[in-house]
Amino acid sequence: MSHPDDLLARAWAEREESLYPRLLGALGPGLSPLDAAVFSTVFGQDSVDPRWLTIGVFECPPTPDRPGWAYVSSGLSNPWDETEADPDSVSGLGMEFLLQTTERAPWALTLVQRFCAYQLLLAAGRMGNHEPLDLWDRMRIGTPIDNADSQLQALVFVAAEHLGDIQTLVSGQFRFLQMLPLTLDEHAFGQQHDFETVVEQLQAHHAAPVVDARRGSIPLQPPA
């Protein structure tokens, strides 16, 4: 039986040295890791698993094949406790976050970091009976997405279909959970009708998957 650290190192290297560069291009200035303050200040959690502080976010600049900036988490799919390579299993939490913006956006990096912390707390059972975030979960976030004057004040989590549904590491599989900011009107429309229609129409108006925090609400039409 192999040591879990061996599998962890192999999966970590495969994700950051092979998979991410192939899908996203250059990974920017390096990983911006979580710190204990995000857990204590934002979520009131003073006890932190040290492994959580190795998880972070890459800020990936545009490429000829990918417009805009990509903010992608790295580490939520880490196989911390697994010992055997199994590409058909789930690696770690089975997901990583992705947020794409039209321009470089420090708020986006901070937002992805905060949702990494939230997901870790959810998975650890620290947030009551709430399950970890998954596809088509949605929420109002209570503040402009850029902490300034953006009309985008809600989120829906969708598949990053342009990158492929399932990603495979030596340790197992994960998917990207794409964070798609919405206006409150778009969020209300999704609650009244369905969020698949919201996403389809945002894509048709070139408002997704790459996000412009300065945009206003898109006029949405109910499904036929």
Side-chain angles (χ1 to χ4, degrees), residues 13-27 63:
E14 183 180 13
R15 184 181 60 243
E16 295 189 359
E17 297 174 13
S18 177
L19 180 66
Y20 277 12
R22 175 169 57 83
L23 295 176
L24 298 167
L27 299 183
T63 73

Side-chain angles (χ1 to χ4, degrees), residues 92-223:
L93 300 186
M95 53 74 62
E96 298 283 357
F97 287 115
L98 174 67
L99 174 59
Q100 293 178 258
T101 59
T102 55
E103 58 189 24
R104 192 173 193 178
W107 62 262
L109 191 151
T110 300
L111 188 69
V112 178
Q113 287 178 321
R114 289 182 176 181
F115 271 93
C116 286
Y118 185 47
Q119 188 79 331
L120 289 164
L121 292 168
L122 288 168
R126 300 270 198 97
M127 305 300 287
N129 295 323
H130 297 290
E131 295 292 324
L133 294 166
D134 205 349
L135 290 177
W136 297 111
D137 284 341
R138 54 269 191 176
M139 65 178 69
R140 298 184 181 190
I141 60 174
T143 186
I145 203 80
D146 61 353
N147 296 310
D149 54 3
S150 175
Q151 294 185 42
L152 305 179
Q153 300 184 35
L155 282 170
V156 62
F157 297 88
V158 301
E161 296 178 352
H162 57 296
L163 297 181
D165 185 32
I166 299 296
Q167 310 299 329
T168 301
L169 301 172
V170 64
S171 55
Q173 299 178 349
F174 75 93
R175 62 161 33 106
F176 291 109
L177 204 58
Q178 180 135 19
M179 301 165 62
L180 187 59
L182 307 172
T183 67
L184 295 180
D185 285 345
E186 292 160 357
H187 182 267
F189 181 98
Q191 289 183 309
Q192 182 178 359
H193 299 285
D194 63 81
F195 282 87
E196 291 90 340
T197 297
V198 173
V199 173
E200 288 173 0
Q201 295 189 33
L202 290 181
Q203 290 172 336
H205 284 84
H206 305 291
V210 182
V211 176
D212 184 351
R214 299 164 298 186
R215 76 169 180 85
S217 280
I218 300 299
L220 302 174
Q221 301 299 320

Side-chain angles (χ1 to χ4, degrees), residues 34-46 48 53 114 117:
L34 306 184
D35 60 40
V38 70
F39 293 95
S40 60
T41 303
V42 180
F43 301 105
Q45 298 283 328
D46 294 320
V48 176
L53 304 184
R114 289 182 176 181

Side-chain angles (χ1 to χ4, degrees), residues 67-110:
W69 291 73
Y71 294 84
V72 62
S73 68
S74 184
L76 296 172
S77 59
N78 280 350
W80 292 112
D81 301 314
E82 288 85 353
T83 58
E84 297 298 325
D86 181 1
D88 295 323
S89 68
V90 175
S91 185
L93 300 186
M95 53 74 62
E96 298 283 357
F97 287 115
L98 174 67
L99 174 59
Q100 293 178 258
T101 59
T102 55
E103 58 189 24
R104 192 173 193 178
W107 62 262
L109 191 151
T110 300

